[in-house]
Amino acid sequence: MTADFAGQRVDLALEADFRLGGIEVRPSTRQVESGGAAETLEPRIMQVLVALARKRGQVVSRDELIETCWEGRIVGDDALNRCISRIRKLGEAKGDFR
């Protein structure tokens, strides 16, 4: 993934697999795997994970996430907070990224 993708809509079917620490992320199947254990994420959560990974540690604004993951639709803070919370829990459980 490169910065060239920043700001583009996240289409999981077109995203290449990538690693975050020790976690293998497969966007097209919505699976994350670490230590032989695989887990399937909800589509929106995977989209947010991909959008954050595209920025490689840079700050990503809420507006940017809404544009790339919700196609600019009006989204309540709860929906975005739920996705971020789930991604944080995934990272904490696997101990592979923060």
Side-chain angles (χ1 to χ4, degrees):
M1 290 186 192
T2 65
D4 296 340
F5 290 105
Q8 286 184 345
R9 181 177 170 270
V10 175
D11 185 342
L12 297 176
L14 302 177
E15 294 292 330
D17 296 352
F18 61 94
R19 292 189 70 79
L20 284 175
I23 298 176
E24 181 71 29
V25 181
R26 296 183 189 95
S28 62
T29 60
R30 300 185 350 255
Q31 292 210 332
V32 292
E33 184 177 338
S34 177
E39 180 178 349
T40 302
L41 300 180
E42 294 175 35
R44 195 70 71 196
I45 293 169
M46 181 60 82
Q47 284 181 306
V48 172
L49 179 59
V50 168
L52 294 171
R54 284 178 176 176
K55 293 296 236 167
R56 299 195 180 267
Q58 296 177 3
V59 173
V60 181
S61 72
R62 293 172 100 61
D63 290 339
E64 198 171 355
L65 288 173
I66 289 169
E67 186 61 38
T68 58
C69 301
W70 280 269
E71 299 176 18
R73 291 185 209 106
I74 296 175
V75 177
D77 284 340
D78 289 345
L80 189 51
N81 290 342
R82 186 180 68 81
C83 289
I84 297 297
S85 175
R86 181 64 186 94
I87 291 168
R88 284 184 177 149
K89 286 179 185 174
L90 175 69
E92 290 170 3
K94 306 295 184 189
D96 289 322
F97 66 91
R98 52 190 169 97

